Amino acid sequence: MPVINFTYDELFKKLGKELPKDELINILPMISSDVEGYDDNEVKTEFFPNRPDNYSVEGIVRSLKGYLDIEVGMPKYDVKETDITINVDEKLEDIRPYVASCIIRNVSINDEQLKNLMEFQEHLHWVIGRDRKKVAIGIHDLDKTAGGPFYYKAGIPDETTFIPLEHTEELTLNEILLENEKGEKYAKLLDDFKYYPLIVDSEDNIMSMPPIINSDKTKLTTDTKNLFIDVTGTELNAVTNALNIIAANLAENGATIETITVNYPYHENLTYPDFECREMEVHRKVAEEYIGISLTADKIVECLEKTRFDAKKIDEDTVLVTIPRYRIDILHEVDLIENIAFGYGFNDLPAELPNFSTVANPDPKREFDKIVEQLMIGLGFTEIKSLMLTSEDQHYKKLNHEIDEEHIRVSQPITQDRTMIRQTLINSLLEFLEDNKHEELPQKIFEIGDVAYLDESKETKMVTVKKLAAAQISTEANFTTIKSIVESFVSNMGFTMTLEDSDNPTFIMGRCAKFTATPMFNNTPFTFKGYFGEISPDVLTNFELEYPTIAFEVEFSENKEE
């Protein structure tokens, strides 16, 4: 999780009130923060990825004002509508199709605030932008541009030039990808395209090459008074959320927001920021059941206003809640109930013992997992855990498989990389290795987890199955190595195995096999089957892995033989 650093002086100045330092440290967890560390001058704190609105000191102060009853209810921001536009090039539809922009006027930036602003930008890049894959953010000195109308256009890699940030000479777009540190790091996001995205002003001055780097021309300094914000990406909802959060947090300092309209040739035109609020009902009886205390509708309204929502009592059992657009974590009534508990104060909730007694016993399924875990650790592997949700691109295409139409889809996915429930663990392991390319080799990892398949015979129309998968990346990884590992695993589990040829396209043909395990003892309550081999070079390229990689996966099932 991103770590947010701030000084006591900075926070108290924005809060308009000074607190004893130890009191502040005790209050921060009450607004869903995890304090990582502190000294006499500075605090380091974390917020979960569902609260990116608190990834700057302005967001933290906004939450504290509500908790301390300094300012309650939904914040109101000064938004001025303008006729400024940003016009989108139709060539970008299949490259990086979406953009959102706005202007922030009357900002005051010192060295500390400039540093915090850059950190806020990078935190959003990581959490909402998935390290710029989905969203990239540019923040510019508006007064160094020629003004609007602005353009989101396609640049020609070997012909278009500009001076990138912290450079003194013009480079072509391709040279930036080859010679600039950020260019080298994020070149993979543009490698496959004929054109590269650019943000330019009314006089065709290049301001940014998203998602790579800004122009040195529009660099922020402590003299900057007015900002131009651009957010580009592959997913419209993520782009909109990022722009709304940035605009709202900067407006907390008293800045004025001016709108910009995006003119699309392939989508309806949109005006940003989009501060149109959502409404959701919360019900007293449901809140009482979750929190475990008696509540009134008036008390619910009070608690929600402390957590910076607007709330209105409809009747004694129902409250209508108005949700600000920067609160992207509110998806369900239970999310509002969590905020009622925050507003009530967790320390004020009564402690009581449950009115029933139980005797705890280990979960047999978990006991089985522990046996497998210990065996894999003994073979030199390190355990990881990943999400059950993935995407068709990661799960099928990157593994060289055709998309199986019989997979379980998420009906209303929030992000493009969480659209289905996995059927294999292999892609999760390769994603982990991709994210840890900078670490030393060899890397040996494994995961025990559930996958899901459609099954019309079940009440839920699906069935979950436990799997184990392991992968190793090293200079010496080969078929012999993975065969030896699988043989050790199978024999230590008390089984023998029978090998067959495999044509699994994830692996190199002729260097993979599938197997069926047979128990050595008659009373073994489970059995398993699986496959193993050397990962195909095409798959390695898809996951940007540069060294030989081997993997195996087994699927466990109950032994139904008498």
Side-chain angles (χ1 to χ4, degrees):
M1 294 186 292
V3 176
I4 298 90
N5 302 314
F6 60 85
T7 64
Y8 294 101
D9 290 342
E10 180 185 16
L11 183 134
F12 293 151
K13 182 179 179 180
K14 293 181 184 296
L15 187 64
K17 178 179 180 179
E18 188 164 334
L19 302 173
K21 293 179 180 179
D22 58 345
E23 182 180 345
L24 174 65
I25 298 303
N26 291 328
I27 288 175
L28 285 171
M30 297 300 103
I31 60 169
S32 72
S33 166
D34 182 14
V35 178
E36 282 290 293
Y38 58 92
D39 55 28
D40 290 338
N41 299 310
E42 187 179 62
V43 179
K44 296 181 179 180
T45 186
E46 289 183 337
F47 288 87
F48 284 107
N50 67 330
R51 290 300 305 274
D53 54 294
N54 280 337
Y55 283 176
S56 73
V57 67
E58 291 83 5
I60 297 171
V61 167
R62 179 174 53 213
S63 296
L64 284 173
K65 284 181 176 178
Y67 185 84
L68 297 170
D69 287 320
I70 297 172
E71 188 179 291
V72 298
M74 192 172 70
K76 304 297 188 292
Y77 300 117
D78 183 10
V79 180
K80 178 183 176 183
E81 292 189 8
T82 75
D83 58 1
I84 300 172
T85 61
I86 181 166
N87 302 309
V88 180
D89 191 329
E90 63 181 7
K91 297 186 186 73
L92 296 175
E93 182 176 8
D94 296 322
I95 300 174
R96 200 171 181 86
Y98 302 111
V99 61
S101 295
C102 73
I103 289 170
I104 310 290
R105 293 194 183 273
N106 305 317
V107 298
S108 178
I109 301 177
N110 58 30
D111 288 331
E112 185 67 25
Q113 291 167 332
L114 185 58
K115 172 176 169 288
N116 290 343
L117 181 59
M118 296 300 100
E119 288 180 351
F120 181 37
Q121 177 184 8
E122 289 307 312
H123 292 333
L124 294 179
H125 275 155
W126 181 252
V127 173
I128 298 180
R130 295 294 187 267
D131 201 20
R132 307 194 188 189
K133 291 179 184 177
K134 288 201 316 182
V135 168
I137 301 161
I139 304 177
H140 311 268
D141 188 328
L142 176 67
D143 298 324
K144 295 178 181 178
T145 74
F150 299 93
Y151 297 89
Y152 183 42
K153 61 183 289 187
I156 301 173
D158 290 321
E159 297 180 13
T160 308
T161 64
F162 73 101
I163 302 175
L165 194 63
E166 305 303 336
H167 281 249
T168 57
E169 296 181 355
E170 288 192 347
L171 299 175
T172 66
L173 307 186
N174 264 342
E175 287 173 338
I176 290 172
L177 299 187
L178 295 172
E179 300 177 18
N180 178 272
E181 180 182 351
K182 293 291 186 184
E184 292 178 8
K185 182 176 181 180
Y186 296 108
K188 59 187 179 183
L189 302 180
L190 297 178
D191 276 346
D192 297 332
F193 300 116
K194 182 178 179 181
Y195 301 100
Y196 297 163
L198 298 172
I199 302 286
V200 304
D201 63 18
S202 60
E203 295 183 358
D204 212 33
N205 298 307
I206 294 176
M207 301 163 58
S208 176
M209 176 188 172
I212 309 299
I213 195 167
N214 287 349
S215 166
D216 196 68
K217 177 181 175 62
T218 58
K219 179 171 62 176
L220 301 185
T221 70
T222 53
D223 295 324
T224 298
K225 301 300 180 187
N226 302 301
L227 304 175
F228 176 90
I229 313 291
D230 72 73
V231 181
T232 64
T234 58
E235 185 178 303
L236 182 58
N237 191 46
V239 167
T240 301
N241 287 339
L243 192 281
N244 290 339
I245 289 171
I246 294 170
N249 282 29
L250 290 174
E252 286 291 328
N253 292 325
T256 301
I257 303 170
E258 293 185 359
T259 64
I260 293 180
T261 298
V262 182
N263 293 327
Y264 285 104
Y266 46 78
H267 190 279
E268 64 178 331
N269 297 341
L270 298 169
T271 299
Y272 292 100
D274 178 9
F275 282 165
E276 184 177 349
C277 303
R278 296 180 292 133
E279 291 185 337
M280 188 182 294
E281 289 184 354
V282 63
H283 301 88
R284 178 182 59 83
K285 291 181 180 179
V286 179
E288 288 179 338
E289 182 179 352
Y290 273 99
I291 301 175
I293 59 174
S294 296
L295 293 165
T296 65
D298 290 329
K299 185 63 177 178
I300 290 174
V301 168
E302 177 188 333
C303 293
L304 287 168
E305 288 180 340
K306 288 188 67 171
T307 49
R308 307 314 304 268
F309 299 94
D310 278 350
K312 180 175 66 174
K313 181 174 75 172
I314 296 176
D315 54 43
E316 292 303 325
D317 290 316
T318 310
V319 171
L320 182 65
V321 186
T322 304
I323 305 164
R325 281 302 296 266
Y326 64 80
R327 287 298 302 268
I328 64 175
D329 60 308
I330 306 300
L331 305 176
H332 186 275
E333 181 181 6
V334 72
D335 298 314
L336 292 174
I337 292 171
E338 179 186 30
N339 281 271
I340 294 170
F342 277 118
Y344 190 93
F346 282 104
N347 288 340
D348 296 328
L349 293 175
E352 60 182 51
L353 293 172
N355 58 4
F356 60 89
S357 60
T358 61
V359 177
N361 288 297
D363 182 347
K365 294 181 179 178
R366 178 60 190 143
E367 288 296 296
F368 176 79
D369 288 358
K370 288 170 66 176
I371 293 171
V372 177
E373 286 170 0
Q374 292 302 312
L375 177 52
M376 292 304 299
I377 291 170
L379 291 171
F381 287 76
T382 300
E383 186 173 17
I384 70 165
K385 291 292 183 184
S386 63
L387 299 175
M388 282 190 71
L389 293 181
T390 182
S391 69
E392 287 80 1
D393 183 62
Q394 294 280 353
H395 194 269
Y396 293 113
K397 293 181 180 179
K398 284 192 172 183
L399 292 178
N400 277 357
H401 283 270
E402 295 293 327
I403 295 179
D404 179 3
E405 295 301 326
E406 296 297 312
H407 66 272
I408 300 173
R409 297 175 175 85
V410 179
S411 62
Q412 294 180 328
I414 297 175
T415 63
Q416 287 183 331
D417 56 354
R418 297 288 179 262
T419 57
M420 62 167 286
I421 298 179
R422 66 189 179 186
Q423 295 181 339
T424 177
L425 307 179
I426 294 291
N427 70 294
S428 298
L429 297 179
L430 297 181
E431 286 179 52
F432 183 90
L433 294 176
E434 179 183 12
D435 291 336
N436 289 274
K437 291 184 296 185
H438 57 285
E439 300 293 344
E440 293 183 359
L441 299 181
Q443 296 177 34
K444 301 170 68 176
I445 57 174
F446 77 96
E447 179 173 9
I448 304 169
D450 291 333
V451 302
Y453 299 99
L454 289 173
D455 189 338
E456 293 295 329
S457 67
K458 302 294 183 182
E459 181 181 359
T460 59
K461 307 300 181 185
M462 61 170 282
V463 61
T464 58
V465 176
K466 186 179 297 295
K467 285 192 174 185
L468 160 72
Q472 175 180 334
I473 182 170
S474 69
T475 56
E476 300 177 353
N478 56 42
F479 181 80
T480 302
T481 304
I482 191 64
K483 182 174 181 288
S484 174
I485 292 169
V486 172
E487 287 175 339
S488 296
F489 172 79
V490 171
S491 64
N492 278 282
M493 290 293 288
F495 285 72
T496 59
M497 69 176 184
T498 303
L499 295 179
E500 299 179 52
D501 291 337
S502 173
D503 58 358
N504 190 322
T506 298
F507 300 93
I508 300 173
M509 291 298 108
R511 297 186 188 178
C512 60
K514 56 184 178 180
F515 65 91
T516 303
T518 304
M520 297 178 184
F521 309 101
N522 294 330
N523 60 347
T524 304
F526 67 93
T527 186
F528 59 89
K529 60 183 179 180
Y531 54 86
F532 61 88
E534 290 185 49
I535 300 294
S536 160
D538 291 339
V539 175
L540 294 181
T541 300
N542 292 341
F543 287 92
E544 300 179 15
L545 300 176
E546 300 173 353
Y547 294 92
T549 303
I550 52 180
F552 78 86
E553 182 172 70
V554 299
E555 179 179 305
F556 297 99
S557 59
E558 293 182 10
N559 190 350
K560 297 181 180 180
E561 295 183 2
E562 295 292 336

